[in-house]
Amino acid sequence: MSSEWPLWEVFIRGQHGLNHRHVGSLHAPDAEMAINNARDVYTRRNEGVSIWVVRSSDITASSPSDKGPLFEPSNSKVYRHPTFFDIPDEVGHM
Amino acid sequence: MYAQMVKTDAARVKSLDDMAPEERAFQERIDAGQKIEPKEWMPEGYRKTLVRQISQHAHSEIVGQLPEGNWITRAPTLERKAILLAKVQDEAGHGLYLYCAAETLGISRDEMYEQLHSGKAKYSSIFNYPTLSWADIGAIGWLVDGAAIMNQVPLQRCSYGPYARAMVRICKEESFHQRQGFDILAKMVKGTPAQRAMVQDALDRWWWPSLMMFGPSDDASIHSAQSMVWKIKQNSNDELRQKFVDQTVPQAEYLGLTVPDPDLKWNEKKGGYDFGEPDWKEFFEVIAGNGLCNAERLGARRKAWDDGAWFRDGLTVHAEKASARRAAKTAAAE
Ligand SMILES: [Fe+2]
Ligand SMILES: [Fe+2]
Ligand SMILES: [Fe+2]
């Protein structure tokens, strides 16, 4: 036997009020052990208040070669940014 | 360093004009300071070199626990024991961050362990020296972690994203390692003459192996030149060694110790120390597996891996059974 334990991606909420952030990955036989291991590997100095783990194989990622076509449409829509519009000074803060 | 003399497969460093369009675009991104991320196109040589370097670095962190682990049960006070445990636990963490970074390049964890255990992969020469007294634990933190910091700080800017990010985490933890070592020695030199002699003896034994950590001069090395173009190496071995000596000698003086190098002399003109050449014959012997502790270190790693097999397997079976039970329960509820 001796097959490799699956890989898990680890996400940690650093402080209350912040999003979970990807910090790295680790191997563990199941989710419970993944959380235990993540505690030891990624939060030895109080780095977190909450941990998420998810199997790496369950993550679907955009492909690097799609970078252009995938993100191009938002580049061309400059009017989505408030700085696109000229607001006269007299109007005040908006 | 923690990764010494990493080969690149390069016969010469190509110019941009010699490169195929894909490789040229890749090199231009690196030149522009962009990070390369997993799954993006990269030259096979870049990938292989990184796998070698990161896995060697990881192996060093893991094997590096052994010389210090030797003193956990013999630490002089409960506080020192707790500190040393925390330090050694950090090194395990460093190994794990780095194994993960290497895995993003398509090598599996088991393959890397296999390479370490079979002797195919190297780890830093420094961990093949014995820890004979408690002062050695101080010397390791001060000198060995100190030398590692010299090398790891610039690696935070490495072109490969996962490696650079692992280095950021590691560097945050290293200064604790160096300080706890220095603190051990600072305490001992204020002790009895016998304790001061232990500290001097530790420096005498660890000084030269620490300078060897940076590896032989690589100014003429094609591999180093290629690694620098790829930004997986930022400084030459001699540069980092000089920095280390310049930083460490005043600290040795503060401790009232004598650096065991008759050629050590302040050079006003270059604003740094002149110093002697390490015994590179010894270095190559250690790298070749003939150091004082090579067999012991590898033996300990292999034993830990083999003795842990039943436990790893047990947890795997437990996870499979639990998951089957959950599936049956869900099916029954539907
Ligand atoms: Fe480390
Ligand atoms: Fe270390
Ligand atoms: Fe360290």
Side-chain angles (χ1 to χ4, degrees):
Chain A
M1 94 154 283
S2 268
S3 57
E4 204 174 87
W5 287 342
L7 193 64
W8 301 77
E9 300 300 323
V10 180
F11 299 81
I12 289 179
R13 185 197 296 286
Q15 286 169 38
H16 291 292
L18 294 185
N19 286 325
H20 283 76
R21 235 183 71 174
H22 183 245
V23 292
S25 49
L26 49 75
H27 289 270
D30 57 26
E32 192 190 337
M33 284 299 295
I35 294 266
N36 288 338
N37 292 352
R39 198 261 329 257
D40 290 345
V41 178
Y42 292 106
T43 66
R44 287 191 302 281
R45 287 179 178 76
N46 234 348
E47 288 97 334
V49 294
S50 159
I51 302 175
W52 288 349
V53 293
V54 56
R55 268 199 197 228
S56 309
S57 57
D58 287 341
I59 291 186
T60 309
S62 64
S63 124
S65 56
D66 284 349
K67 221 194 259 169
L70 197 60
F71 299 111
E72 179 49 38
S74 66
N75 273 342
S76 58
K77 294 176 181 60
V78 279
Y79 46 78
R80 282 178 170 162
H81 298 280
T83 45
F84 178 77
F85 305 93
D86 273 331
I87 301 294
D89 285 348
E90 302 90 284
V91 177
H93 178 75
M94 186 180 284
Chain B
M1 200 21 66
Y2 275 19
Q4 293 160 327
M5 309 205 313
V6 178
K7 294 230 164 60
T8 59
D9 294 345
R12 66 188 174 87
V13 178
K14 283 192 222 165
S15 74
L16 280 179
D17 292 331
D18 290 343
M19 293 176 188
E22 230 172 8
E23 185 172 359
R24 188 187 169 123
F26 169 86
Q27 187 61 50
E28 283 170 346
R29 283 184 58 203
I30 289 191
D31 294 343
Q34 286 182 26
K35 294 277 184 250
I36 307 301
E37 296 296 339
K39 310 245 161 71
E40 292 178 343
W41 187 89
M42 58 185 80
E44 188 53 17
Y46 176 84
R47 191 188 70 79
K48 275 196 187 156
T49 304
L50 274 171
V51 167
R52 279 189 206 115
Q53 179 166 333
I54 301 173
S55 61
Q56 207 186 109
H57 195 156
H59 297 328
S60 296
E61 302 286 353
I62 296 300
V63 177
Q65 297 176 91
L66 297 170
E68 291 175 301
N70 187 33
W71 281 88
I72 289 175
T73 55
R74 287 176 269 176
T77 67
L78 188 56
E79 187 184 52
R80 290 289 183 197
K81 179 174 178 160
I83 292 170
L84 183 57
L85 262 173
K87 198 266 188 194
V88 172
Q89 190 192 20
D90 274 354
E91 302 300 3
H94 296 179
L96 294 177
Y97 309 154
L98 289 162
Y99 281 131
C100 288
E103 283 176 86
T104 63
L105 292 158
I107 187 169
S108 75
R109 183 76 58 100
D110 281 2
E111 274 175 90
M112 286 187 274
Y113 286 156
E114 207 315 284
Q115 291 176 353
L116 173 66
H117 297 155
S118 70
K120 185 177 171 248
K122 302 283 179 229
Y123 55 87
S124 178
S125 54
I126 193 74
F127 301 120
N128 293 309
Y129 291 85
T131 42
L132 304 179
S133 83
W134 175 248
D136 288 30
I137 300 308
I140 288 182
W142 174 40
L143 299 172
V144 175
D145 288 272
I149 291 171
M150 283 287 152
N151 175 259
Q152 289 173 335
V153 165
L155 277 176
Q156 294 178 97
R157 287 178 283 115
C158 158
S159 64
Y160 189 58
Y163 192 27
R165 291 190 286 273
M167 271 355 288
V168 171
R169 296 190 68 88
I170 289 176
C171 285
K172 272 195 199 143
E173 301 177 343
E174 287 292 2
S175 76
F176 151 57
H177 297 178
Q178 196 183 16
R179 285 178 180 210
Q180 64 85 34
F182 187 81
D183 190 63
I184 288 174
L185 301 183
K187 188 90 182 190
M188 286 183 82
V189 295
K190 288 198 205 106
T192 64
Q195 286 169 324
R196 271 197 297 281
M198 278 165 78
V199 176
Q200 181 62 53
D201 172 60
L203 177 61
D204 290 347
R205 283 180 291 106
W206 289 94
W207 176 255
W208 291 109
S210 297
L211 294 198
M212 288 178 206
M213 284 176 71
F214 298 94
S217 178
D218 60 351
D219 291 344
S221 159
I222 176 91
H223 301 301
S224 291
Q226 178 63 72
S227 286
M228 284 194 188
V229 168
W230 281 335
K231 293 202 184 146
I232 55 187
K233 184 179 171 81
Q234 324 263 353
N235 310 86
S236 78
N237 294 348
D238 286 333
E239 252 178 285
L240 292 174
R241 186 168 18 246
Q242 180 74 53
K243 257 181 105 173
F244 175 74
V245 171
D246 292 345
Q247 176 190 288
T248 310
V249 170
Q251 296 167 353
E253 281 165 1
Y254 174 87
L255 293 173
L257 302 173
T258 309
V259 174
D261 179 356
D263 297 324
L264 184 77
K265 207 170 74 238
W266 177 254
N267 180 332
E268 189 64 54
K269 228 168 82 203
K270 82 171 177 189
Y273 286 90
D274 290 331
F275 54 95
E277 198 58 35
D279 179 357
W280 293 113
K281 222 184 96 216
E282 174 182 315
F283 171 79
F284 285 110
E285 280 295 325
V286 175
I287 290 280
N290 305 319
L292 289 169
C293 299
N294 294 60
E296 188 185 330
R297 301 291 184 242
L298 263 192
R301 282 314 310 156
R302 287 195 198 112
K303 183 174 184 314
W305 181 249
D306 294 342
D307 290 356
W310 68 271
F311 179 73
R312 294 193 301 277
D313 291 347
L315 287 186
T316 303
V317 172
H318 172 75
E320 280 162 2
K321 281 190 180 162
S323 137
R325 265 197 306 273
R326 267 195 308 276
K329 224 169 146 187
T330 326
E334 269 164 14

